[in-house]
Amino acid sequence: MILGIEGVSCVGKTTLAAMLAPQLDQPAVIPCYFHASPDPTRLPAPEPFTADHQLANIAQFLEVEDLRLTQARQALADCRDVILDRTVDTLLAHAHAVGRMNGFDCDDQAQHTVTSRAVAMPDLTVVLTADPDVLARRARLRKGMPTIFYDRHFSEHFNAYFDHPLAPAVVRLDTTTGSPEELAARALDHISRHQAGEHPLQEAS
């Protein structure tokens, strides 16, 4: 299976991926766009102020998605699971959030740009959320973290996008409290239920 892990920065995606990896079938853990890029310094700034700028940014990130898709296909061909640290839904959630914050709407064009090409699409996406104050405290420990990534309004709009994502199945998990082990156990329960064909997947925050 392909498992996507989503959420704004500092919410615990990479930690969860590491906790889940030993529990799945020799998974390939495919890093986020920043770490998957051959040259992260060439990636666009996080806050465009026009729709055209945002759409150009998505096109640039989709070049990195091509590399991630190749890795995912190889893992599946080797009968391994795949864990995606961020999915293409991240690109659309980001576009949705910065558009709402800066007075433009390119959601439809962004979705068309993404769906017009092959991408690594998860079977199930786990969307992590957390209290904005908690995210801000975590972000202060990361040198150089752009403030937009833990802005309360950005988080609200980013998370709202996942009410209607491209991913066929989504579950939200709140990481405000609890240990990484507890979060992994909750995620594994949802993964097992998804694989057993149980729907819908919901969990109260």
Side-chain angles (χ1 to χ4, degrees), residues 38-168:
D39 185 359
T41 64
R42 297 178 64 87
L43 293 176
E47 189 170 8
F49 295 100
T50 69
D52 287 344
H53 189 184
Q54 176 61 65
L55 293 171
N57 288 359
I58 289 176
Q60 191 170 344
F61 277 107
L62 285 173
E63 294 179 8
V64 182
E65 177 64 15
D66 288 342
L67 304 177
R68 286 160 40 98
L69 175 61
T70 297
Q71 296 176 52
R73 283 174 167 169
Q74 184 59 58
L76 294 174
D78 294 338
C79 298
R80 301 169 63 193
D81 287 329
V82 174
I83 299 176
L84 298 175
D85 185 342
R86 293 197 180 279
T87 73
V88 290
D89 272 316
T90 268
L91 307 181
L92 300 180
H94 187 99
H96 178 80
V98 296
R100 297 305 179 276
M101 295 175 72
N102 292 301
F104 65 82
D105 183 348
C106 66
D107 288 11
D108 289 344
Q109 301 100 306
Q111 182 167 318
H112 175 74
T113 299
V114 170
T115 57
S116 65
R117 58 195 294 161
V119 297
M121 182 59 61
D123 301 296
L124 170 66
T125 295
V126 177
V127 180
L128 303 183
T129 62
D131 180 89
D133 292 333
V134 172
L135 291 176
R137 288 197 297 271
R138 294 174 184 172
R140 293 187 193 105
L141 302 176
R142 294 195 187 181
K143 184 178 180 180
M145 173 68 69
T147 56
I148 187 175
F149 288 150
Y150 55 93
D151 179 278
R152 180 182 298 270
H153 299 296
F154 177 84
S155 295
E156 289 173 353
H157 293 306
F158 185 98
N159 292 334
Y161 162 82
F162 284 94
D163 290 341
H164 303 284
L166 295 181

Side-chain angles (χ1 to χ4, degrees), residues 165-176:
L166 295 181
V170 169
V171 61
R172 300 174 190 257
L173 299 180
D174 192 327
T175 70
T176 302

